[in-house]
């Protein structure tokens, strides 16, 4: 199993919409490295759901339920998406400021490549974040 962080502006697509919709295609990624990360995702992988821009915090976890396929919002089939479903919220969302201040997380891809919308997360980072965020599995 691999772990990831996926970003969404809550004004465009929020955690509550993800929960409400059930399974949702993760579309609209137009960065090559982020696309490659989507293409590497496997069924059962888990991703931290991060509200970017206005909130800058991790709010929940989603599970990959369908592997990469051509993104229907793109004109070029080289762009892919995966389907994800909510796998539980964080009782205590974790802000970017908290992540930056925590020495346990100093090497996170989120901090090293802050503009990347789909980034890998190590297993220790994932376990640590889900513990301090008080992840409530769905």
């Amino acid at each position: 199993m691999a772990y990831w962080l996926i970003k969404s502006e809550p004004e465009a697509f929020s955690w509550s919409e993800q929960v409400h919709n059930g399974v949702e295609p993760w579309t609209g990624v137009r960065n090559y490295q982020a696309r490659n990360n989507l293409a590497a995702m496997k069924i059962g992988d888990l991703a931290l759901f991060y509200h970017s821009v206005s909130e800058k915090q991790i709010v929940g976890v989603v599970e990959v339920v369908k592997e990469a396929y051509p993104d229907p919002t793109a004109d070029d089939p080289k762009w892919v998406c995966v389907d994800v479903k909510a796998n539980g919220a964080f009782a205590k969302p974790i802000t970017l400021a908290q992540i930056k201040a925590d020495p346990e997380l100093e090497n996170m891809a989120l901090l090293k490549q802050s503009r990347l919308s789909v980034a890998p997360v190590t297993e220790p980072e994932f376990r640590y974040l889900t513990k301090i965020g008080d992840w409530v599995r769905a």
Side-chain angles (χ1 to χ4, degrees):
M1 176 183 298
Y3 302 94
W4 308 92
L5 181 136
I6 57 177
K7 294 181 181 179
S8 181
E9 296 176 27
E11 298 78 17
F13 184 74
S14 69
W15 172 252
S16 61
E17 289 173 282
Q18 174 69 57
V19 171
H20 178 265
N21 293 354
V23 174
E24 185 71 23
W26 202 261
T27 60
V29 172
R30 299 297 182 270
N31 169 284
Y32 288 104
Q33 189 173 357
R35 178 207 57 194
N36 293 345
N37 289 336
L38 282 175
M41 290 180 173
K42 302 294 181 204
I43 291 173
D45 284 359
L46 298 175
L48 301 166
F49 193 109
Y50 181 87
H51 275 170
S52 62
V53 184
S54 60
E55 292 183 13
K56 297 181 182 174
Q57 62 183 1
I58 300 170
V59 295
V61 175
V62 293
E63 179 180 344
V64 176
V65 295
K66 184 175 180 182
E67 294 177 12
Y69 60 95
D71 184 336
T73 69
D75 293 331
D76 188 333
K78 72 180 174 191
W79 298 109
V80 299
C81 64
V82 298
D83 288 357
V84 297
K85 71 173 182 177
N87 196 314
F90 276 23
K92 299 179 241 171
I94 302 170
T95 66
L96 179 59
Q98 287 173 276
I99 294 168
K100 285 181 175 180
D102 194 324
E104 292 286 324
L105 302 170
E106 67 186 0
N107 293 315
M108 268 193 86
L110 172 65
L111 302 179
K112 302 291 183 186
Q113 296 177 294
S114 61
R115 296 183 53 93
L116 196 59
S117 63
V118 179
V121 174
T122 67
E123 183 175 354
E125 290 166 347
F126 182 85
R127 295 202 184 288
Y128 181 74
L129 287 162
T130 53
K131 182 179 178 182
I132 64 173
D134 198 13
W135 176 29
V136 180
R137 289 180 184 247

